[in-house]
Amino acid sequence: MARSLVIKVTAGADAPERCNQAFTVAAAALVSGVPVSLWLTGESSWFALPGRAKEFNLEEAAPLADLLDAVLAGGRVTLCTQCAARRGITIDDVIDGVRIAGASTFVEEILADGVQALVY
């Protein structure tokens, strides 16, 4: 069985380097053939909304919108249920391909055989 990667990103514009690192690692893993599940939590929750990733800018870094598009195309993107609720985000608000799921789904993913979990 191939290993897979689950990445939880808690940072957004409040910690741009940490945020961008998570998206960069997710995209790089996909390019390397690794199955990826990216979880948007905390301040990164806003990137589940259309156009928000395009507003993010970090000098000398790949555009966040491009990284998110890559993960959406080749992996899975999940918005935390509680994080969405606290921000008034519903399934009708998010980018196509983003699902909303909670802690039990996250735990199930990270405890599966062959999974490496990273938190940024």
Side-chain angles (χ1 to χ4, degrees), residues 41-65:
T41 68
E43 286 303 299
S44 72
S45 299
W46 295 113
F47 299 125
L49 297 175
R52 289 294 183 100
K54 287 183 181 182
E55 296 172 3
F56 181 92
N57 186 34
L58 180 62
E59 195 172 309
E60 303 296 328
L64 197 70

Side-chain angles (χ1 to χ4, degrees), residues 3-5 7 22-37 62 66-76:
R3 291 191 63 176
S4 63
L5 188 59
I7 299 173
F23 282 82
T24 299
V25 168
L30 282 167
V31 169
S32 300
V34 176
V36 171
S37 176
D66 293 349
L67 297 171
L68 177 57
D69 287 346
V71 178
L72 284 166
R76 181 180 340 182

